[in-house]
Amino acid sequence: MKSPVFTGSDTLYSMFAGLEDPDEFVMRQILHEAANKMLVCRVYPGLKASNYLPLIDNGVKHIIMELYEIGTCSMRESDYSIKPLLQKGRKKGCHFYCTSQQESEIDFSGYSTSRRVWREGAIPMGRLTTESAVGLYFAASLVADNQEELDKLLESYSAFF
């Protein structure tokens, strides 16, 4: 691009700009590892989120959940609640990044269950589409030194868009 859309001092852009000669083998390995620890799933009303529980046991640490409106964010005790998924994920060190199927902004403040969803570690990705969140996850995985930095990058970018 002739003129970057977004730049700043504490951004992925500046981190990548500092890479002069990235090692292709190392980057491939990092991306491969990131892909093996990531899952993208859609959560529809009536879909049992518990179907994803075995994946957490098998090493998935980053779940990008594409939510269908507020009805799929149920934290009640039922077969169709995301509560068991979020709770087990949190105990296993899993991180949840939430996007919307309706291409609208994800903001948990309108959910009656917002406190419980946040408490279990779900991160709203703002206006980012699922595809954008996946791209951001891979880009952040290349430059983040640890899980805390990865989460910070993902959260901070979701606030921009």
Side-chain angles (χ1 to χ4, degrees):
M1 297 176 69
K2 291 180 183 178
S3 175
V5 175
F6 180 80
T7 61
S9 60
D10 187 30
T11 63
L12 283 174
Y13 172 80
S14 63
M15 291 177 175
F16 277 109
L19 294 174
E20 292 185 22
D21 190 23
D23 186 327
E24 182 181 336
F25 176 77
V26 171
M27 290 179 74
R28 188 177 299 140
Q29 289 300 109
I30 291 170
L31 290 173
H32 182 73
E33 185 178 318
N36 286 337
K37 292 180 180 179
M38 190 259 298
L39 168 73
V40 177
C41 64
R42 287 184 167 170
V43 181
Y44 294 99
L47 178 74
K48 292 184 178 184
S50 60
N51 291 339
Y52 298 115
L53 290 174
L55 297 169
I56 292 173
D57 290 330
N58 290 324
V60 170
K61 295 290 182 194
H62 307 277
I63 297 179
I64 297 174
M65 288 193 332
E66 192 175 69
L67 301 175
Y68 181 85
E69 266 303 322
I70 59 176
T72 55
C73 211
S74 170
M75 294 294 282
R76 295 183 178 141
E77 298 295 331
S78 78
D79 290 341
Y80 306 105
S81 172
I82 64 167
K83 183 178 179 178
L85 178 64
L86 293 176
Q87 287 180 330
K88 184 173 186 175
R90 184 176 49 83
K91 288 177 186 172
K92 296 267 187 169
C94 190
H95 300 267
F96 297 89
Y97 311 102
C98 300
T99 63
S100 171
Q101 292 178 23
Q102 283 76 36
E103 297 181 16
S104 61
E105 184 174 359
I106 285 287
D107 177 7
F108 289 153
S109 64
Y111 291 29
S112 61
T113 58
S114 64
R115 279 196 176 142
R116 287 184 279 165
V117 173
W118 271 317
R119 185 178 61 217
E120 299 303 338
I123 299 169
M125 296 306 291
R127 289 189 207 116
L128 291 178
T129 64
T130 302
E131 295 80 3
S132 298
V134 170
L136 177 59
Y137 166 76
F138 281 119
S141 295
L142 286 170
V143 296
D145 292 327
N146 54 46
Q147 180 60 50
E148 185 179 323
E149 190 175 4
L150 178 70
D151 282 337
K152 181 181 174 188
L153 287 168
L154 288 168
E155 258 186 278
S156 65
Y157 267 82
S158 70
F160 286 120
F161 301 103

